[in-house]
Amino acid sequence: MTASRQGAPGLTFSRLADIILPRLVIAPTALACLIGFYGFIAWTAWLSFTESRLMPRYEWAGVVQYIELFGNDRWWQSMQNLAVFGGLFIFVSLAIGLVMAVFLDQKIRGEGFLRTLYLYPMALSFIVTGTAWKWILNPGLGIEKMLHDWGYTQLTFDWIINPDFAIYTVVIAGVWQSSGFVMALFLAGLRGIDDSIIKAAQMDGASLPTIYTRIIIPSLRPVFLSVFMILAHIAVKSFDLVMALTGGGPGFATDLPSIFMYQHGFTRGQLGLGAASAMMMLFTATAVVMPLLYSELRRERRG
Amino acid sequence: MQSSRLTLALAVACVFSLNAVAGEVEVLHWWTSGGEAKSVAELKKMMSAKGHTWKDFAVAGGAGDNAMTVLKTRVVSGNPPTAAQVKGPSIQEWGGEGVLATLDAVATAEKWDSILPPVVASTMKYKNHYVAVPVNVHRVNWMWVNPEVFKKAGAKVPTSWAEFDEAATKIEKAGMIAVAHGGQPWQDATVFESVALGIGGADFYKKAFVQLDAAALNSPTTLKTFETLRMVRKHMDKDMPGRDWNLATAMVINGKAGMQFMGDWAKGEFTAAGKTPGKDYLCVAAPGTDKAYTFNIDSFIVFAQKNKDLKATNDFASTVLSPAFQQVFNLNKGSIPVRLGADMSKFDDCAKKSSADFVATNKAGSLLPSFAHGMAMPSAAQGAVQDLISSFMNSNMSSQDAVAKLLVAAKKK
C-alpha cells in the first residue's frame, strides 16, 4: 500500500511520458503526411469532379471529366504505353539485375570496380540518360550511322523515329539506367543469405545452378518485392526520361499518363481533366501494388 | 525639436505623394535570351523614366509553361503581378477567371482602336474592355528558302502546293533534303496551318480554325488539306521526330535542305549565322498564302491590384505600345511593331515585307490568327487539334479519318 503510493507518482509520470512522447515526436510528420499527402489526394479528387479550367473552381460538375477522359484517344494510348513500358521495364531490369548480381557474387577479382561500373548509371538523372540515348538512337547521329559508316548500309535501327517501336527505346534507356541499381539490391540480398545453408546443400551434392534456383533465389523473395515496388513507381512517375528522349513523340507514340496529366493540367488549361487523369493513375498504381502488399503482409503475419 | 518634427512630416508627406504618382511594376515574362533580355532592359529604363520602380519577374523556360504555373500560384494566393505575358484566347480564359484590370482609360486616350488592326484589338479585349496590351507581331506563314539549293537542283521557288511537290522532288533527286522540319507537335501544326491557308484561302481558314465552323471543318477543302499535308510529309527527312526548330533552320542555312516552314523567329538563326536576306536566304510566304498573313502576337495581360491604383499599370501599357519601345523591342526580337503605320526604315527586308503585308492583309480582311501558336482556339481545342495533326503526320491515318477526328477535336472546350 505505502510502497505503491510512494512509487505511483513517478511511475505515472514516466508512463505518461512513455505514452505522450512518441506521439509528440511522430505528430509533426504525421500531420505533414496527412495534409501533404492525403489532403492533396482529396483535393485532386475534388477537382476532378469540377469544371476547373485554368484555375481551381469548386462547383460540383459530376463525372464530366471522366467521361471526357475515357473518350480521349490519347489517354488510352498513354495507358497502353504505360503497360508496355512498365511491364517490360520492370521485367527486363529485374532479369538483368539478378543475372548481374549472381555473376558478381562468384567472388571474382575486381568486384568493387565492376559494382561501381554497373551502379554508375543510377548516378545520372533521367534527363541526362534520355538526352544521351536520344543521340545514340538517332539514325542520323548514332548507332545506325555508325553501322552505315562501317559499311553495313542495309542495316537499319530507327526505332526512335518509328511510332510503332519508339516506346521500346524508352524501355532500353530505362533499363540501362535502373538495372545496375537492381543488381546492387540483389547483391546485398545474396550476401545476407546464411552461408551454412549453402554449405549444407553443397555437402548434399547439389550443383551450383540448383543451389541458386532452389535455395538462394527463393530466399530473395523480400528483395524481389522491394525491387518491384521501386521499379513500378519509377515506371508510373516516368516523365523526364520520356520528355528528354522522345518528347512523347513521334506523334504521341511514347506518351505516358504522367505527361498527359502535366500537359492537360498545367499547359492546356484543363485542370479538371488533368485531375481526373491523376486520379486514374492513382487507381492504377493502387490496383497493382495493393494486392501485392496485402499478400506479403499476410504472409509475414502468418510466418 | 519642432523643426525635426516638421521635417519628418514633410518627409512622410513626400513619401506619400511619391506613392501617389509612382508605383512598382512587376512584370512576369520569359524573355530571357540575349536579344529579348536587352529589350526588357529597355522597357525597364523607360518605366523608371516615368518614376516607377521595376521589379523583374522573369521565369526561364521557352514557351512559358513554367511561368504559367508560377503565375497561377500567385493569382490563386491573391498576390498577382502587375502584368504577365499571356497571349491569344488565353487572354479570354484569364478574363473569365475575373482577375484582370481594364486598360480602357489609356486605350481611349491613346486611340488604340485606330492604331491596332481590329482583329488584333479584339483579341486584346475581354467583353469589349481592353485587358491586354500587344507587344509585337510574328508572321507564321513564312517559307525560308536556301536559293543555292534550288539553283543546284534546277528548281524554282514554289508559289502553289502543286509547284511545291515538283520543286521538292527535284531537290530530292539532286540528293538534298527538300523540307527541313522538326517533328514536334507545334511544328507539325505550323506546317498544317500554312497548308490549310494555301489550299483553302483566308475565308476557309477563318471559318474552320477561328470560328470552328463544323461545315467548314468537314468540307472537301479540309480533306484536301490533309492529303496535301501527307504529300508535304513525304518530302521531309526521316530523322525529323523530336528535332528542335532551330536545328531544322540550321539545315537550311548550311544547304542540307531547301526549305523550312517556320515563323519569322527563324530569321534570328540566319542573322546569327551572318546571312543576308535576299542573297543567302529568301523569306517568301508559304505556297499559296502570299495574300494572307497568320500572326502570332505576344501580349501582356494586366491584373486588378489590391490598392486599385492603376496609374503604374496604365503607364506600363502605354509604354509598351509607344512607337519608341515598339521599334527597339522588335529590332531585337526579329518581329515587327504591332502599331499600324510604324516606321520600318531601320528593319531588314524580311521585316519590311512582313510589315507591308501586315498592313495590306488588315485592309483585305486576310489578317488571321495562327492557331498553331495559340492565337485562335481555346487551349483545350488547340491541344486536341495539335495532337491529331501530329498523330496524322506520324501514322498511316487516312485523310477521311483525320477529318472526322478533327471535327471532334475542334469541339473540345
Side-chain angles (χ1 to χ4, degrees), chain B residues 201-223:
Chain B
D203 287 335
F204 164 73
Y205 181 96
K206 207 181 294 175
K207 274 214 189 86
F209 302 114
V210 182
Q211 294 156 6
L212 301 175
D213 175 60
L217 284 168
N218 202 10
S219 66
T221 319
T222 317
L223 191 69

Side-chain angles (χ1 to χ4, degrees), chain A residues 50-257:
Chain A
T50 67
E51 294 216 44
S52 297
R53 320 259 336 149
L54 217 50
M55 287 195 294
R57 284 183 209 172
Y58 300 108
E59 295 102 39
W60 181 264
V63 291
V64 283
Q65 303 290 5
Y66 290 92
I67 293 170
E68 170 96 25
L69 186 70
F70 294 148
N72 192 321
D73 286 351
R74 190 175 156 183
W75 169 252
W76 291 114
Q77 166 97 57
S78 68
M79 285 300 269
Q80 196 185 326
N81 284 342
L82 179 63
V84 173
F85 167 68
L88 280 175
F89 169 70
I90 293 172
F91 179 76
V92 179
S93 296
L94 266 175
I96 294 183
L98 182 61
V99 169
M100 286 200 302
V102 169
F103 286 171
L104 259 189
D105 197 31
Q106 306 306 314
K107 312 265 171 357
I108 47 168
R109 235 187 305 151
E111 188 205 305
F113 170 74
L114 283 172
R115 204 173 44 204
T116 319
L117 199 71
Y118 292 155
L119 195 56
Y120 188 69
M122 199 65 192
L124 300 177
S125 79
F126 270 121
I127 284 281
V128 179
T129 309
T131 311
W133 278 96
K134 179 181 170 178
W135 291 330
I136 296 171
L137 294 170
N138 186 310
L141 289 171
I143 295 176
E144 186 180 304
K145 184 172 186 298
M146 188 181 75
L147 290 174
H148 287 190
D149 289 350
W150 286 352
Y152 304 101
T153 43
Q154 66 279 43
L155 291 173
T156 51
F157 185 60
D158 59 352
W159 284 10
I160 198 165
I161 57 166
N162 184 334
D164 296 330
F165 287 101
I167 189 70
Y168 301 112
T169 64
V170 185
V171 177
I172 294 174
V175 166
W176 179 82
Q177 167 113 334
S178 299
S179 48
F181 166 69
V182 175
M183 177 220 65
L185 288 185
F186 275 127
L187 196 60
L190 286 173
R191 294 286 150 84
I193 294 171
D194 194 353
D195 263 356
S196 55
I197 306 175
I198 299 164
K199 286 210 176 95
Q202 275 170 337
M203 299 274 241
D204 288 346
S207 66
L208 200 63
T210 321
I211 293 176
Y212 268 103
T213 50
R214 304 291 287 275
I215 300 174
I216 298 182
I217 293 175
S219 60
L220 284 178
R221 196 191 149 88
V223 184
F224 270 103
L225 186 77
S226 325
V227 170
F228 177 82
M229 289 297 184
I230 293 169
L231 291 180
H233 103 263
I234 291 180
V236 172
K237 73 177 188 188
S238 269
F239 177 84
D240 35 5
L241 178 66
V242 178
M243 283 319 260
L245 187 66
T246 60
F252 38 90
T254 52
D255 204 17
L256 291 179

